[in-house]
Amino acid sequence: MFVRSKMTANPFTVSQDQTIPDAQEIMMEHGVKRLPVMKKDKLVGVVSREDIAHASPSKATSLSMGEITYLLGKTQIKKVMSKNPVTISSGALLEEAATVMRDHGVSFLPVVDDGKLVGIITESDIFDSFIELLGFREQGTRLTIEATDAPGILAQLTSIFGEHGANITHVAVYRGGAGKSDVVVGTNSQDTAAIEAALEAQGLRVVYKLVNR
């Protein structure tokens, strides 16, 4: 699955010359935590609620509320934003986006194609995609099968499901140790007793079963 399929296109942005109250108003109105910062049509940074909080006077300040409001109203976003943000292209895989987020310790990536901001993708988008890819909320049965990590095992599994007229909707493989892997197979069938028996007969142990009705 590609970033373009899960990103938020045409995201809300703020100009580097706008002020902290401007950014706060956009965030509150649209319920977002971060904003790409633009200089004309070019992405130059990212500003978050945390950036604004760090730039704001502490509660221990001797400044009056009026003075704080005045200072924040004069502070431009370019003074508090994070510059040179890590980005991703819309044609990248979701796995790439997740890896970039993890490696750089961020939970948000601007999506840039040919120097133009086309969207944003967040950690929540990645989580939702992971759940969707595994079909966790779909009706049917998910069998976790312990199998030998060897060529031909997936073909053996799919053959058993096919012989029982069960449609495979999702497959995930989690490599383990000692030459074993856990293979998670999703099927739209809710009655898998015969499939489980056939798997066991061929030395494929069902270690977990989840039925969504």
Side-chain angles (χ1 to χ4, degrees):
M1 190 177 294
F2 296 101
V3 167
R4 70 171 69 93
S5 64
K6 288 299 177 182
M7 71 180 189
T8 299
N10 303 314
F12 301 108
T13 64
V14 66
S15 166
Q16 68 165 4
D17 297 322
Q18 288 180 273
T19 63
I20 285 179
D22 294 329
Q24 289 175 316
E25 183 178 352
I26 295 171
M27 290 179 183
M28 289 181 63
E29 180 180 354
H30 300 289
V32 296
K33 299 178 181 178
R34 312 166 196 85
L35 292 170
V37 182
M38 310 298 291
K39 181 179 181 181
K40 295 184 179 179
D41 293 328
K42 182 181 178 182
L43 176 73
V44 293
V46 169
V47 67
S48 68
R49 291 180 183 175
E50 289 77 13
D51 293 327
I52 292 173
H54 291 155
S56 302
S58 72
K59 294 181 179 179
T61 182
S62 61
L63 295 173
S64 69
M65 185 58 67
E67 289 172 321
I68 292 174
T69 301
Y70 175 80
L71 287 174
L72 293 180
K74 290 293 184 179
T75 304
Q76 293 179 312
I77 293 302
K78 61 186 174 186
K79 300 294 185 181
V80 301
M81 71 183 186
S82 298
K83 300 178 181 178
N84 303 315
V86 183
T87 64
I88 194 98
S89 73
S90 67
L93 295 171
L94 288 177
E95 300 95 298
E96 294 179 73
T99 301
V100 171
M101 288 183 191
R102 188 67 172 175
D103 288 348
H104 291 273
V106 297
S107 57
F108 160 97
L109 291 174
V111 183
V112 177
D113 288 341
D114 299 322
K116 181 180 179 182
L117 179 71
V118 295
I120 58 171
I121 189 161
T122 69
E123 198 172 58
S124 294
D125 296 325
I126 300 294
F127 287 154
D128 289 342
S129 300
F130 178 73
I131 292 170
E132 181 182 337
L133 284 168
L134 294 180
F136 194 79
R137 292 195 173 108
E138 295 182 15
Q139 288 188 342
T141 305
R142 288 162 49 86
L143 297 177
T144 301
I145 304 155
E146 184 185 69
T148 302
D149 191 359
I153 291 298
L154 280 179
Q156 183 182 1
L157 283 172
T158 56
S159 175
I160 292 171
F161 278 79
E163 288 170 0
H164 290 83
N167 182 38
I168 294 177
T169 55
H170 301 85
V171 177
V173 179
Y174 298 91
R175 291 184 177 275
K180 297 286 187 179
S181 291
D182 286 336
V183 184
V184 181
V185 181
T187 176
N188 55 4
S189 175
Q190 294 185 347
D191 181 6
T192 58
I195 294 174
E196 293 170 56
L199 290 167
E200 296 281 356
Q202 294 195 31
L204 301 166
R205 188 166 67 95
V206 177
V207 295
Y208 189 75
K209 175 180 179 178
L210 175 67
V211 181
N212 287 336
R213 301 187 185 281

